[in-house]
Amino acid sequence: MRNKEKNNARTERRDAAENRQRILDAALRLFEENGVEPVSMNQIAIEAQIGAGTLYRRYRNKSELCLDLIRDNLDLLFEDMDAYLEQHRDDPPGRRLKGILRLFIRFREKKLQLLAGVEEGASPSRPKNRSPNPMLVELQETFARLFGEMSASEPSEPENVFKADMLLMALKSEFYVFQKEVRAYSSEQFLERLCSALFPTAGN
Amino acid sequence: MRNKEKNNARTERRDAAENRQRILDAALRLFEENGVEPVSMNQIAIEAQIGAGTLYRRYRNKSELCLDLIRDNLDLLFEDMDAYLEQHRDDPPGRRLKGILRLFIRFREKKLQLLAGVEEGASPSRPKNRSPNPMLVELQETFARLFGEMSASEPSEPENVFKADMLLMALKSEFYVFQKEVRAYSSEQFLERLCSALFPTAGN
DNA sequence: TTGACAAGTGGAGAGTTCTCCGTTTATTAT
DNA sequence: ATAATAAACGGAGAACTCTCCACTTGTCAA
């Protein structure tokens, strides 16, 4: 669906492409003015001057729309992470994990609202958002791998996967915002807590 | 709001009490037939033969209704937990924590759907469910206290609070169901993972 | 150029959540 | 018993999500 996978036959029709842009523009405009959460798909359709059906054809819900809006930034983030891992390949795994977590949290800070929009329970009552979301899967695997390296001795594979799952959970908007607002943590404090809760800060 | 706090002036009007019962009955009936998630407040109002306004006056959303439906069981659970802690007061804190986690998970197993209903993001777009939910707060404090006991040496207060927050997060339906369905864990395996991820199983 | 037709469009409509407010009713004081 | 009155009722209606499908339009092959 993404950037017109060139490989796949037909290219996007011109009018469709134009509408896509209208939608993105309209959404951005409305989000900037009102924040992400209170803006409805309805409003976006109206602002973009298209029918509701057209909007929903392209984005099944607001979550998908938000994802499209940060797609590029997200790709950059992942590149940054990869670069970081590459550059610090000789650091102990705990350090490296902390490093990429810091990158992620910084990103989260910048795109708080949109990211929350992406996570937002897509549809109420509907078949439920059963999409693993490839980006999260990749992140999850990276975490799991680093946990694996961390104690190369025994901690079984599943153990690492589980920890990675927990980490991912803790990085969700809901938890992050709660820690910031209710527990009054700064990003860096949060990061610190997270690391010391999930792995012994051996090397550092 | 709960069980007609007797202390507080007026008792609940008879017709109101009757309607409350109608609602509870109707909801239970519909939930048993269709599961919790797909049943709408609307349907419940119709099944109970009352106006939507009447339903919403008593329960701001489905989440509150579900909470009322397991209120009693929940109270029992808490009593069980207290009893457990009392009986095993000489066990090491890790053991005790595991014990009450097991109780909680068993409860979750029994009331999976309703509990998920309680957690369900109340309203879409609305002011956001800013209710800390007293029962969760209590649980959170118990967890934090046990973490505190666990390593009486240095781990600062906030450290324990944070871990307790993470634990609570991991006990949510979303995470629990994911672990069961995708990672294919049994309740007991899940419990095992949870404990070994968050604290060294020293005493055991 | 010209069809054919897949792709795209828009808006009516079904089903929801939740509020507002005029009407009804149970309770309590007289 | 009766009236005053706070509480409760119910349904119209506003706003929303999402689907369906008759209609329009871009594209490509001839």
Side-chain angles (χ1 to χ4, degrees):
Chain A
M1 199 131 298
R2 205 67 298 88
N3 279 321
K4 59 166 64 167
E5 0 260 293
K6 62 205 51 172
N7 50 330
N8 219 336
R10 300 244 184 336
T11 76
E12 191 177 37
R13 253 168 65 164
R14 207 174 35 254
D15 56 346
E18 192 197 318
N19 273 348
R20 167 192 248 79
Q21 203 50 56
R22 293 168 86 82
I23 293 173
L24 260 20
D25 289 350
L28 216 49
R29 224 175 304 141
L30 288 174
F31 288 166
E32 265 162 21
E33 191 148 332
N34 310 95
V36 172
E37 205 243 34
V39 174
S40 73
M41 287 294 267
N42 227 348
Q43 287 174 63
I44 295 173
I46 292 170
E47 175 85 9
Q49 309 198 69
I50 59 170
T54 305
L55 176 54
Y56 276 95
R57 147 185 322 274
R58 225 171 291 281
Y59 303 106
R60 266 200 295 284
N61 48 51
K62 213 169 68 169
S63 173
E64 286 194 359
L65 209 181
C66 288
L67 185 55
D68 206 14
L69 279 174
I70 44 170
R71 218 340 160 299
D72 295 345
N73 296 276
L74 217 38
D75 288 346
L76 283 184
L77 169 66
F78 274 74
E79 282 172 28
D80 284 355
M81 283 183 171
D82 286 349
Y84 181 94
L85 288 179
E86 187 63 24
Q87 276 179 7
H88 300 74
R89 81 169 78 190
D90 295 328
D91 284 11
R95 228 199 208 324
R96 270 177 289 155
L97 182 47
K98 192 171 186 174
I100 62 176
L101 284 177
R102 184 177 285 113
L103 288 177
F104 185 86
I105 288 172
R106 243 175 234 162
F107 176 73
R108 152 129 281 161
E109 223 28 76
K110 285 226 174 78
K111 299 287 176 181
L112 235 204
Q113 294 215 41
L114 278 177
L115 220 32
V118 173
E119 290 167 12
E120 194 143 296
S123 42
S125 308
R126 229 50 85 193
K128 192 68 182 174
N129 188 21
R130 278 283 160 252
S131 56
N133 190 340
M135 96 148 193
L136 283 198
V137 171
E138 188 182 330
L139 199 51
Q140 203 277 343
E141 283 164 0
T142 302
F143 289 163
R145 189 160 37 73
L146 285 172
F147 277 123
E149 287 183 43
M150 257 167 70
S151 42
S153 37
E154 22 66 64
S156 55
E157 181 63 18
E159 173 82 45
N160 303 323
V161 169
F162 187 86
K163 279 187 184 170
D165 285 343
M166 288 208 56
L167 197 41
L168 228 44
M169 196 77 177
L171 290 175
K172 288 206 176 187
S173 294
E174 191 189 342
F175 191 74
Y176 182 67
V177 170
F178 175 82
Q179 293 298 323
K180 291 206 74 165
E181 294 188 353
V182 180
R183 306 295 188 213
Y185 281 137
S186 70
S187 316
E188 197 60 29
Q189 287 173 317
F190 175 77
L191 176 61
E192 219 58 58
R193 288 277 173 249
L194 203 50
C195 291
S196 77
L198 282 175
F199 52 91
T201 37
N204 175 283
Chain B
M1 202 134 297
R2 204 71 293 91
N3 281 318
K4 59 163 65 167
E5 0 261 294
K6 62 204 53 169
N7 49 330
N8 219 337
R10 300 245 182 336
T11 75
E12 190 178 40
R13 249 169 68 164
R14 208 179 29 259
D15 55 347
E18 190 196 320
N19 273 347
R20 168 196 247 63
Q21 203 50 53
R22 294 169 85 80
I23 292 172
L24 260 20
D25 289 349
L28 216 49
R29 224 175 305 141
L30 288 174
F31 288 166
E32 264 162 23
E33 189 146 334
N34 311 94
V36 172
E37 205 242 35
V39 174
S40 74
M41 288 293 269
N42 226 349
Q43 287 174 64
I44 296 172
I46 292 170
E47 175 84 9
Q49 308 198 69
I50 59 171
T54 304
L55 176 54
Y56 275 95
R57 145 121 39 117
R58 223 171 292 282
Y59 303 106
R60 267 200 295 285
N61 48 54
K62 214 168 68 168
S63 171
E64 287 193 0
L65 208 181
C66 289
L67 185 54
D68 207 14
L69 279 175
I70 43 170
R71 206 1 146 297
D72 295 344
N73 297 277
L74 218 36
D75 288 346
L76 283 184
L77 170 65
F78 273 75
E79 281 172 30
D80 284 355
M81 283 183 170
D82 286 349
Y84 181 95
L85 288 180
E86 188 62 25
Q87 276 178 7
H88 300 74
R89 81 168 78 192
D90 295 327
D91 283 11
R95 227 197 205 329
R96 270 177 290 156
L97 182 46
K98 192 170 186 175
I100 61 176
L101 284 178
R102 183 176 286 113
L103 288 177
F104 185 86
I105 288 172
R106 241 173 237 164
F107 176 75
R108 152 130 283 159
E109 226 23 79
K110 285 227 174 78
K111 300 286 176 182
L112 236 204
Q113 293 216 41
L114 277 177
L115 220 33
V118 172
E119 289 167 11
E120 195 144 295
S123 42
S125 307
R126 231 48 87 191
K128 193 67 181 175
N129 188 20
R130 279 282 161 254
S131 55
N133 191 341
M135 98 147 193
L136 283 198
V137 171
E138 188 183 330
L139 199 51
Q140 202 279 343
E141 283 165 1
T142 302
F143 290 162
R145 188 160 39 73
L146 286 172
F147 278 123
E149 287 182 43
M150 257 168 69
S151 41
S153 37
E154 20 68 64
S156 55
E157 181 63 16
E159 174 82 43
N160 302 324
V161 169
F162 188 85
K163 278 187 183 170
D165 284 344
M166 287 207 58
L167 197 42
L168 227 45
M169 196 77 177
L171 291 174
K172 287 206 176 189
S173 293
E174 190 190 342
F175 191 74
Y176 182 66
V177 170
F178 176 82
Q179 293 298 323
K180 291 206 76 167
E181 294 189 353
V182 180
R183 305 296 187 214
Y185 281 137
S186 71
S187 316
E188 196 59 30
Q189 287 172 318
F190 175 77
L191 175 60
E192 218 59 57
R193 288 277 173 248
L194 203 50
C195 291
S196 77
L198 281 176
F199 51 91
T201 37
N204 175 281

